Amino acid sequence: MEESLCRSPGEVVLPPVATSPSYRPTEVTPAMLQPPRLVYWELTKRCNLACVHCRAMPQACASPDELSLAEGLNLIDAIAEVGRPILVLTGGEPLLRSDLFILARHARLRGLNIALATNGTLVTREVARQIVDAGFK
């Protein structure tokens, strides 16, 4: 299923740190070479809520920097190559990603433990079964 994008085609937005004039690379320390224990992946900025307490700015459509399914599978492979962190799939609302359970099952097949950070409003009995079947803990 093709997701609609909010940004115009060809528009590139660099992260603020990379464009900051005060940014200077730091020296690599041994602690920086350890594999991460937790990885939080914001799958989407889309959300079905607009909570005033949330740091996110919910969007109605997919962001252009949202990874495709193929890119997401490659990211999971790369994470699994580095270590075995707990992969937390979050958002926005991750249940709005039509490929969420494909990504989750792939992460489990690669040996990653996975967790789901959802607002819960889209969880029905059927969705709860899919969450369990995909291997979320």
Side-chain angles (χ1 to χ4, degrees):
M1 178 169 118
E2 187 69 26
E3 310 289 355
S4 61
L5 301 177
C6 293
R7 196 172 293 145
S8 60
E11 183 178 353
V12 176
V13 178
L14 294 175
V17 172
T19 59
S20 170
S22 63
Y23 171 74
R24 300 284 180 267
T26 59
E27 184 177 327
V28 176
T29 66
M32 295 167 90
L33 299 175
Q34 298 299 312
R37 291 179 292 146
L38 287 167
V39 173
Y40 284 79
W41 176 11
E42 190 172 276
L43 291 172
T44 184
K45 293 180 181 175
R46 287 174 287 153
C47 189
N48 58 322
L49 301 177
C51 302
V52 295
H53 64 274
C54 185
R55 62 144 192 89
M57 299 297 291
Q59 296 180 358
C61 53
S63 172
D65 58 359
E66 193 171 293
L67 299 182
S68 68
L69 174 59
E71 291 168 328
L73 296 172
N74 287 333
L75 175 62
I76 291 166
D77 290 343
I79 292 168
E81 290 289 322
V82 174
R84 293 292 182 264
I86 297 169
L87 179 59
V88 182
L89 302 178
T90 184
E93 175 47 59
L95 289 170
L96 291 174
R97 278 280 301 235
S98 60
D99 56 5
L100 168 67
F101 298 112
I102 296 169
L103 293 166
R105 283 189 295 276
H106 185 70
R108 291 295 300 140
L109 288 172
R110 291 303 312 261
L112 301 176
N113 288 317
I114 53 174
L116 182 63
T118 174
N119 63 36
T121 61
L122 301 176
V123 178
T124 61
R125 285 187 187 276
E126 179 183 334
V127 171
R129 174 55 42 207
Q130 290 177 299
I131 290 169
V132 170
D133 290 347
F136 284 103
K137 302 285 182 193

